Amino acid sequence: MKNWTTLYSRKYQRCIVICVFLFGMTAHAQTMDEMWESRSSGKEHANIQWFKDAKFGLFIHWGLYSHLGGEWKGKRYYGSGEWIMNQAKIPVREYEATAATFNPSRFNADEWAQLAKDAGIKYVVITAKHHEGFAMYDSKVSTFDIVDATPFKQDPMKLLADAVRKRGMHFGFYYSQFQDWHNPNGGKNTWDFDESKKDYQKYYRQKAIPQLKELMSNYGDLSIVWFDTPGGLSKEQTQQFIDSLRLLQPKSLFSSRVGHGLGDYRDYGDSEMPAMPINGAWESIYTHNDSWGYMKHDMNFKTPETIIRLLAEAASKGGNLMLNVGPDGSGRIPAYSAQFLRETGRWLQVNGESIYGTTQGLIPQQPWGVTTSKPGKQYLHVWTRPRSGKLLIPNANMQVQKVYALADGQPVKWHKRGDAIWIDLPITLSDAKNTVFVLEYAGEAPTYNKNAPITISNQFDENEIKAAFAKTTGNARIESLTYSHYYGDWKHTNCVVGMADREKDIIEFDTQLMESGNYRITLEYACEPESANQEGTLSINGQNFYFRTLHTGSFDKKAPLLFVRHDVATISINKPGRYTLDIRPLSGKSELFKLKAVIIKPID
Ligand code: FHN
């Protein structure tokens, strides 16, 4: 079947008529597949550099769900607030009726944009239409929108786009291109509509594409179009979908959640941070509390320290952090979000040079923190001061010229011993959240050694060895586990899984112990009922330690993945050096556990 779609360039000077067969057609432009696969070999989107340099974005989830705030008919729901219609199985007619009292009179585009600016944000992405199907802009495709269906009667998207751009930040829209619980042919409303009778192609033709056309024609240059939860299209159809939309906004970056491995940059899962540095353009996205949409009773807001360290960690691995806020039904951004974003901005005013425009750090994460890079510089993001005040940079094959505090330029003493650099830190760190020191070096930049041993030192209260650094054999493997505590509040953690066979499924951690002494070993893991009470061994320096796994709960969509920190041994090591710590199952019945980390704490 041929489906002609007429797309107008937003200047209305050119009518671009393209033939969009949603049933497979060979695209003429370079396909997104080639762009996506080749992105790390330099053939990235022509506009990608601003994104790579930006490092810090603001995600805004604001919709009709914000008006409900996680409550329905007197009941509080937990999880992600924007999913309340789905979680409470609210019939479309009842949900529609809530729009009559949705009047965000406190909304002030300039206030929101100024907050983003003050926070050091470089790009803002807001939900134009989430899964609920409600358009937060003046849509001519559907009257289920903020202008036609509410007493507010204004288009907040236009106001916000102008306010954000006026302050020199990039602006983009989030659009849920497949899930639409209001539309009989949209994805995932199984309580009002029979999923088996849905015509997704019809949904794309009649709602998703026309609305995306409106958004991409009427709101100026969109720096990003952030697609989400793809479905209903084959890879080839998705390619056509992208190619046709790109004609309207050729400079816009499409997120990878357009689907099928396509998109101009990679979005990780919700609250997911890659374990290692990643090439190419990518973004980690986190909620500020535990919900994307506003939840009256979700007060679990991440502190400025957590935000700043998340940002530094993403940058240290070569990527961006987009942090989310969920404004309420009156148009206000939660007070803690505003307060903590401003505090983050104050930190960036002093230390932004160590974040914006940087590339991945050249030193793997250390017990004291992470590093980011600029030519001839390593920025040392020191989160935890070693007790002695002497900061170790291992395997530092650099011709160090000078080291100084970024905040005030105060030089600090350093000396080289072997291929390590030792830095004498001031008695107190100027900013407990993250104090940045700059190490300037001459000559070649050292290569990142992903096989460098993991530093263990008694200078820190604890040394965390993350599962992702395990060398695995047999069926043991590292997986990013997806789980939620309540409903839709997705989280991700890298774990070693699949260890059952005592001979084959072994994991090893290559460590560099800096000081002899007594240490306590703790295993952090999740353990399902069938794995509980199984024996495992932990060996280091020829000493074997036995443990038996504790039951932490079943891991499935209905029950959260819960972890335990299980103290399993006290060990004594009489000389510093390189040690392999290995863990293996003994019982061999089923998977030993899902190991998240090994924590080593000095006792002396
Ligand atoms: O289902 C959505 C969810 O509501 C939220 O918008 C997140 C943001 O990344 N995306 C989907 C879940 O991954």
Side-chain angles (χ1 to χ4, degrees), residues 145-393:
D145 72 50
I146 193 165
V147 171
D148 298 310
T150 79
F152 186 61
K153 297 264 176 267
Q154 298 169 64
D155 182 336
M157 298 296 115
K158 199 135 189 57
L159 299 168
L160 185 64
D162 294 344
V164 164
R165 291 189 189 110
K166 194 168 66 180
R167 291 166 173 80
M169 293 176 284
H170 290 266
F171 179 80
F173 282 127
Y174 164 112
Y175 191 87
S176 169
Q177 72 272 25
F178 170 64
Q179 288 202 54
D180 189 320
W181 308 327
H182 182 262
N183 186 289
N185 291 309
K188 302 285 181 174
N189 176 335
T190 53
W191 56 98
D192 284 314
F193 309 113
D194 179 346
E195 197 82 6
S196 65
K197 294 196 173 63
K198 294 192 174 189
D199 180 345
Y200 297 136
Q201 308 294 321
K202 194 171 180 183
Y203 173 71
Y204 276 100
R205 281 200 310 277
Q206 293 187 348
K207 183 167 181 184
I209 289 180
Q211 284 200 326
L212 281 162
K213 182 177 105 176
E214 290 180 318
L215 291 165
M216 297 171 91
S217 305
N218 306 334
Y219 294 87
D221 274 344
L222 299 179
S223 297
I224 289 175
V225 181
W226 211 94
F227 296 98
D228 200 10
T229 65
L233 291 182
S234 67
K235 180 162 187 172
E236 190 179 23
Q237 289 169 335
T238 303
Q239 187 59 64
Q240 301 320 319
F241 175 75
I242 290 168
D243 292 349
S244 58
L245 295 173
R246 203 177 283 298
L247 292 167
L248 288 170
Q249 290 275 348
K251 292 192 281 187
S252 177
L253 301 177
F254 291 178
S255 78
S256 59
R257 293 198 189 178
V258 69
H260 290 293
L262 301 171
D264 300 311
Y265 69 88
R266 182 176 181 181
D267 260 302
Y268 274 81
D270 294 358
S271 302
E272 181 176 18
M273 181 70 73
M276 310 288 183
I278 300 293
N279 287 330
W282 61 270
E283 182 184 60
S284 261
I285 50 172
Y286 279 77
T287 51
H288 187 197
N289 47 12
D290 283 316
S291 171
W292 300 98
Y294 175 64
M295 290 277 268
K296 289 177 192 149
H297 43 279
D298 179 345
M299 296 303 285
N300 185 25
F301 292 96
K302 294 171 181 70
T303 62
E305 176 178 291
T306 300
I307 297 169
I308 289 163
R309 291 184 182 185
L310 270 176
L311 177 60
E313 185 176 357
S316 77
K317 293 168 182 173
N320 296 9
L321 170 71
M322 182 157 74
L323 184 76
N324 180 76
V325 294
D328 65 18
S330 74
R332 282 172 307 173
I333 288 176
Y336 280 124
S337 292
Q339 180 186 340
F340 292 168
L341 275 171
R342 285 200 179 88
E343 196 161 335
T344 302
R346 284 193 286 275
W347 182 86
L348 281 164
Q349 272 171 343
V350 174
N351 301 285
E353 175 190 329
S354 68
I355 299 286
Y356 303 126
T358 61
T359 51
Q360 72 163 80
L362 301 174
I363 314 287
Q365 183 153 1
Q366 296 298 307
W368 47 260
V370 297
T371 56
T372 52
S373 304
K374 276 183 181 168
K377 291 181 179 177
Q378 276 302 287
Y379 295 98
L380 315 177
H381 297 261
V382 181
W383 302 345
T384 310
R385 186 178 183 276
R387 289 197 183 103
S388 62
K390 299 201 179 304
L391 186 111
L392 163 67
I393 302 181

Side-chain angles (χ1 to χ4, degrees), residues 10-217:
R10 63 188 179 286
K11 300 183 184 62
Y12 301 105
Q13 286 147 10
R14 279 183 298 116
C15 166
I16 302 163
V17 180
I18 58 166
C19 165
V20 178
F21 292 92
L22 284 176
F23 305 96
M25 184 184 92
T26 310
H28 301 297
Q30 182 204 25
T31 67
M32 278 303 287
D33 293 11
E34 288 153 10
M35 281 182 74
W36 185 243
E37 280 142 24
S38 67
R39 73 185 181 297
S40 55
S41 60
K43 284 180 253 160
E44 297 174 302
H45 189 291
N47 243 22
I48 200 70
Q49 196 55 43
W50 78 259
F51 178 81
K52 287 181 165 180
D53 290 342
K55 296 299 171 196
F56 194 22
L58 182 66
F59 213 171
I60 303 176
H61 274 67
W62 196 36
L64 188 50
Y65 46 78
S66 311
H67 181 38
L68 302 182
E71 284 183 5
W72 180 251
K73 293 187 175 173
K75 180 183 175 187
R76 275 182 299 279
Y77 285 80
Y78 286 79
S80 226
E82 72 286 359
W83 273 76
I84 189 161
M85 181 186 173
N86 187 300
Q87 196 172 5
K89 299 296 177 273
I90 304 172
V92 165
R93 294 295 158 244
E94 283 188 49
Y95 195 75
E96 275 175 344
T98 63
T101 53
F102 176 39
N103 186 8
S105 56
R106 308 279 295 266
F107 168 70
N108 181 314
D110 280 312
E111 275 178 15
W112 286 19
Q114 193 54 48
L115 169 61
K117 186 71 178 175
D118 295 346
I121 293 288
K122 298 297 183 186
Y123 59 101
V124 176
V125 175
I126 187 167
T127 49
K129 190 272 289 180
H130 204 268
H131 309 334
E132 62 180 5
F134 184 76
M136 288 296 285
Y137 71 96
D138 185 13
S139 173
K140 301 304 174 219
V141 177
S142 156
T143 55
F144 190 47
D145 72 50
I146 193 165
V147 171
D148 298 310
T150 79
F152 186 61
K153 297 264 176 267
Q154 298 169 64
D155 182 336
M157 298 296 115
K158 199 135 189 57
L159 299 168
L160 185 64
D162 294 344
V164 164
R165 291 189 189 110
K166 194 168 66 180
R167 291 166 173 80
M169 293 176 284
H170 290 266
F171 179 80
F173 282 127
Y174 164 112
Y175 191 87
S176 169
Q177 72 272 25
F178 170 64
Q179 288 202 54
D180 189 320
W181 308 327
H182 182 262
N183 186 289
N185 291 309
K188 302 285 181 174
N189 176 335
T190 53
W191 56 98
D192 284 314
F193 309 113
D194 179 346
E195 197 82 6
S196 65
K197 294 196 173 63
K198 294 192 174 189
D199 180 345
Y200 297 136
Q201 308 294 321
K202 194 171 180 183
Y203 173 71
Y204 276 100
R205 281 200 310 277
Q206 293 187 348
K207 183 167 181 184
I209 289 180
Q211 284 200 326
L212 281 162
K213 182 177 105 176
E214 290 180 318
L215 291 165
M216 297 171 91
S217 305

